[in-house]
Amino acid sequence: MKDLNLDSALVSFDPATGERIGQAKIFTPEEVKEVVSRSRKAFLKWRTTSFEERKRLIMRAREIILAEIDEIAELISKESGKPFAEAISMEIVPVLDLMQYFARKTKKLLKPRKIQIGIFSLLGRSSKIIYEPYGVIAIIPAWNYPFSIPLGEATMALMAGNTVVIKPSELTPLTGLKIGEIFQKAGADEDLVQIVTGDGATGAALVESLPDKIMFTGSVATGKKIAEIAARNLTPFVLELGGKDPMIVFKDANLDIAASAAVWGAFCNTGQNCSSVERLYVEEEVAEKFINLVVEKTKKLKQGNGLESDVSVTVLSSEKQLSIVKSHVEAFRKEGARILIGGNHEGLFFEPTVIVDVKNSMLPMQEETFGPTLPIATFKTEEEAIRLANESNFGLTASVWTSDLKKGKRVAEKIQAGTVCINEVLYTHGIAQTPWGGMKLSGQGRTHGLEGLMELVQPKHIHLNRFSILPDIWWMPYSETAIKTFKALAKHFASGSMLKASLALPQIVRRLKELLANK
Ligand code: NDP
């Protein structure tokens, strides 16, 4: 990174201890523009590199991460507050897998594709699609997965031939800078992956700096602001926004396993996941047994500083998060729900909280909480479970728990969400091959998987005419013969049947003769 001017600095704190971890520069809008312009210059060179060269860079970066795994996990854990264990299991492991997958497979996934053009091939034409990088990809992630989300998106963008500018959250600037450092150590050109630290204004400046595409992860409110500016500039974007993900537990599910899944799904990363279990619906007949299991398992969780290896639940990232979680728990209480365990906090350490007698009409069942709360409601029928799960403005992920796989698939197909898991919960962001993204207010576009890779390239259609010695029959000048030919085209050629299309041939030949005679 160039010219670090620390006149105005961003201070990074450990939310568990309040300890000051370090500081980072706040980039001004002018500096952000300059970074984007350097990125665009770097793109001209990077776009010409081979997939093998790109793969070598990504694999070297992987090696650096593996060599520094403890240092990186500690930084992620301290800056975001998450358990050290989760910094490894939920950030480093999945992103290392993503890096090797896209390093090895992008060439194949972006292989030029021949298009079957049906009857037009009779006229000696052929078509193919090649995939071109966009240019400068602006990545604006949230603080909750400050390493794996921006690094994963950067890897895919680079493999597709783009350059990258990342604006990390103001809560996790050092983790963002670490990503830049890893690429530098791996031997990347200094402008290939640039990090612009700062706050929301720096993010806005990046959006205004006319990147070629924006990959945003964050709240619905900020997503809307970005979409507005991007629309004004016609900058394409992907929005990965919030969730209120439902988990449906049928009476025939393995209740012990489902209860463990619910506890992990609701409380990992202290509930600060876009795909946390934020609403649980259990079939009435087994509700009491299931809820007891959930409460017993919750009691066993140790809460504390994430750097202690036996700590499972840690700290909320900020006062802002704390006030949302508190207000949601309070709203549940006021509206008649019962708190079976948790509900209190000491500083930013909010206890894992299980809430029952919950209804969808309660306000916190409609808004994202983003904290360690597990509200549980009951249902009587499959239809009711589906209706309750779909009664939300969000649609990121969902899960269905049952031993009847037919029922599981039937229900999964009816739930409105970008990902629905059967007998699994939350984790598919960790599978590089599967697309990630939401329906409804949970976002637009996809990251990960082939669908995510396609967001980082522009399809270019190349069309070839092998009969170029002949004029096209639809060219000028027009005539009676032309109109008759066009009618034959409408009746036969456009029918989609090769056999019928051949009926237009005599008229096509007459038209060709006319055009050739007119030369
Ligand atoms: P925010 O929307 O507040 O922030 C997200 C990012 O946008 C941060 O880097 C932030 O910077 C930046 N930003 C803030 N204002 C602007 C602006 N005007 N223009 C451009 N960038 C801006 O979200 P949170 O950080 O609170 O993240 C939590 C949200 O993220 C939750 O809703 C969660 O569900 C969602 N999320 C979604 C995921 C998904 O895959 N769908 C994954 C992870 C989280 P700064 O922090 O410096 O203000």
Side-chain angles (χ1 to χ4, degrees), residues 141 143-144 167 169-170 203 216-219 222 241-242 274 368 436:
W143 45 266
N144 66 337
K167 201 306 278 182
S169 165
E170 64 192 297
F216 172 74
T217 306
S219 62
T222 311
L241 309 178
C274 48
E368 187 178 39
W436 183 263

Side-chain angles (χ1 to χ4, degrees), residues 119-189:
I119 285 162
F120 286 93
S121 57
L122 292 180
L123 304 179
R125 315 298 159 102
S126 66
S127 276
K128 70 172 180 179
I129 295 282
I130 60 169
Y131 299 99
E132 292 204 339
Y134 269 100
V136 180
I137 305 292
I139 299 177
I140 305 179
W143 45 266
N144 66 337
Y145 285 87
F147 190 68
S148 58
I149 290 183
L151 177 53
E153 289 174 357
T155 295
M156 293 173 68
L158 292 171
M159 280 309 302
N162 302 284
T163 54
V164 166
V165 178
I166 300 173
K167 201 306 278 182
S169 165
E170 64 192 297
L171 298 181
T172 52
L174 304 182
T175 309
L177 287 171
K178 187 77 199 170
I179 295 173
E181 187 191 311
I182 290 166
F183 280 108
Q184 290 301 297
K185 283 188 184 168
D189 179 298

Side-chain angles (χ1 to χ4, degrees), residues 10 139-145 149 153 167-172 197-208 214 216-223 225-226 229 239-244 272-276 278 317-318 320-321 324 368 370 394 396 429 436-438 442-443 447:
L10 193 64
I139 299 177
I140 305 179
W143 45 266
N144 66 337
Y145 285 87
I149 290 183
E153 289 174 357
K167 201 306 278 182
S169 165
E170 64 192 297
L171 298 181
T172 52
T197 44
D199 53 16
T202 316
L206 179 55
V207 173
E208 288 281 16
I214 300 161
F216 172 74
T217 306
S219 62
V220 174
T222 311
K225 284 186 201 162
I226 286 177
I229 302 174
L239 301 177
E240 293 288 0
L241 309 178
K244 191 77 194 170
Q272 299 167 115
N273 311 288
C274 48
S275 51
S276 277
E278 290 230 357
S317 63
S318 64
K320 185 178 147 208
Q321 275 314 123
I324 298 171
E368 187 178 39
F370 223 56
F394 292 103
L396 188 55
H429 192 265
W436 183 263
S442 289
T447 58

Side-chain angles (χ1 to χ4, degrees), residues 35 78 427 498 519:
V35 164
K78 280 178 105 170
Y427 90 118
M498 289 281 183
K519 266 215 297 196

Side-chain angles (χ1 to χ4, degrees), residues 12-77:
S12 172
F13 293 98
D14 177 342
T17 60
E19 177 203 341
R20 187 186 159 116
I21 316 175
Q23 62 178 16
K25 169 189 168 72
I26 297 179
F27 278 70
T28 64
E30 294 69 36
E31 288 169 327
V32 173
K33 270 207 180 83
E34 169 61 24
V35 164
V36 170
S37 132
R38 287 208 306 269
S39 188
R40 189 155 285 121
K41 280 192 196 123
F43 169 65
L44 296 178
K45 193 166 154 211
W46 184 249
R47 68 174 303 167
T48 65
T49 53
S50 66
F51 285 109
E52 278 65 31
E53 200 172 324
R54 297 173 196 170
K55 175 180 167 184
R56 277 197 294 278
L57 176 72
I58 300 297
M59 295 309 269
R60 278 199 301 269
R62 265 189 102 255
E63 288 309 314
I64 291 160
I65 296 168
L66 270 175
E68 298 182 12
I69 190 164
D70 285 313
E71 183 202 315
I72 295 172
E74 186 175 328
L75 175 62
I76 299 171
S77 169

Side-chain angles (χ1 to χ4, degrees), residues 25 62 101 105 112 134 146 191 195 227 318 340 393 430 442 455:
K25 169 189 168 72
R62 265 189 102 255
Y101 175 71
K105 297 288 182 195
Y134 269 100
D191 294 333
I195 316 295
S318 64
L340 293 186
N393 289 328
S442 289
E455 299 279 3

